[in-house]
Amino acid sequence: MGKAAAAAAFAIALAVPAVGSAAELSDIEVARLLAAADRAKPIDLTGRDLSFLDLAGLDFKAARLDRANLHAVDFAGADLSHARLAGAHLDRSTVQRTNFAGADLRGASLLRLSVTTELDLNPKAAGEAPNFAGADLSGARIFARMVGANLRGADLTGARLGNYRLTVIELHPHTFLEMADLSGARLRGAELYGVRFAWAKFVGADLSGADLTGADLTGADFTGADVTGTKFDGADLAQAVFRDMKGLDRAIGLDKALNRDRIVR
């Protein structure tokens, strides 16, 4: 079969309605589709079931994956920058060094992501984190350990990263974003209770109305951040940097925060 015929066959396959729970395309078929695509004419996999496929290292060329079932897909090292993933299901996917910069992940589910085998705050763990710089994660549900993740300029308005229910094989009911960079991020009204943000950067971020109840904010840098209506009840503020902040007088629960006497001003 020639290249033109093969491309036509794949295009026909994509038009077939989703059936059942098994992946509708193989990893090889997806790779071939991507090889033939470009960012001006991205492939459309909207609503498709690609669960459990090995798509590591592939360039998705701004593909359309809205509402796709991407459960347990291996995206390690893949380039999903500027891809459309609104409402997509990425639970238990592998996202080590995955590039989601500028991607549309509105309302997506990113529960129990596999990011690293490292459990400590070390350079290796941070180096394996995915890149969400400038991504739209508004309304997304996130539960993962992403030490050193790049979330600069990301939109997490209304996102839910708070404590999650455990299964028998999990150790911690928290999202871990230690040393993450959320500079300039929008976190208005986000559920961030109990999240581990030790040494994270919130420089210039908009946290207005966010819930940081019980969060670990040890050493976090809030320089220039907007914390109007932000809840700090029970949060650990040891060595947190509070400089040039907006709305600090309207923050909630600072009198109930831990180690508030150790804030760096």
Side-chain angles (χ1 to χ4, degrees):
M1 183 182 293
K3 291 183 179 179
F10 286 130
I12 293 173
L14 288 178
V16 179
V19 178
S21 59
E24 300 168 53
L25 296 168
S26 70
D27 44 12
I28 294 176
E29 289 172 327
V30 173
R32 288 175 177 171
L33 282 168
L34 291 170
D38 59 48
R39 289 182 178 265
K41 295 182 179 179
I43 63 172
D44 191 344
L45 297 168
T46 300
R48 307 316 296 260
D49 187 344
L50 305 178
S51 54
F52 297 98
L53 295 186
D54 181 358
L55 305 177
L58 296 180
D59 183 351
F60 280 77
K61 301 175 182 177
R64 299 172 183 173
L65 294 155
D66 295 323
R67 303 181 304 284
N69 180 7
L70 306 172
H71 181 88
V73 170
D74 186 352
F75 285 121
D79 186 353
L80 285 147
S81 59
H82 301 286
R84 288 170 43 177
L85 294 145
H89 173 91
L90 292 96
D91 297 354
R92 298 190 183 279
S93 289
T94 299
V95 294
Q96 294 172 6
R97 303 176 307 283
T98 306
N99 185 11
F100 290 102
D104 181 355
L105 288 148
R106 291 172 296 164
S109 181
L110 300 98
L111 303 179
R112 300 184 173 91
L113 299 178
S114 177
V115 180
T116 178
T117 57
E118 299 295 322
L119 298 180
D120 300 318
L121 303 185
N122 59 54
K124 180 179 179 182
E128 292 182 343
N131 176 17
F132 289 101
D136 188 344
L137 289 151
S138 55
R141 184 72 175 94
I142 303 171
F143 177 62
R145 189 178 194 110
M146 297 190 289
V147 177
N150 183 355
L151 288 148
R152 290 179 64 91
D155 189 347
L156 291 116
T157 302
R160 295 174 294 156
L161 287 72
N163 294 357
Y164 196 68
R165 59 184 176 81
L166 286 171
T167 67
V168 294
I169 61 172
E170 290 170 317
L171 298 176
H172 305 288
H174 305 288
T175 290
F176 288 77
L177 284 167
E178 300 103 328
M179 301 189 295
D181 190 349
L182 294 108
S183 299
R186 297 179 294 282
L187 298 115
R188 295 185 298 273
E191 296 179 8
L192 309 172
Y193 45 85
V195 176
R196 300 318 196 214
F197 283 120
W199 308 105
K201 293 181 180 179
F202 293 97
V203 178
D206 183 354
L207 288 144
S208 54
D211 188 351
L212 284 164
T213 300
D216 181 0
L217 303 173
T218 304
D221 188 349
F222 288 91
T223 301
D226 187 343
V227 293
T228 305
T230 305
K231 296 179 181 178
F232 286 97
D233 304 67
D236 191 343
L237 298 175
Q239 301 181 65
V241 179
F242 275 30
R243 291 175 179 152
D244 303 319
M245 296 166 71
K246 302 175 183 177
L248 187 57
D249 58 334
R250 286 171 284 172
I252 299 169
L254 278 174
D255 58 329
K256 299 177 183 177
L258 306 178
N259 294 309
R260 59 186 180 278
D261 58 325
R262 298 176 60 192
I263 293 174
V264 178
R265 300 181 187 275

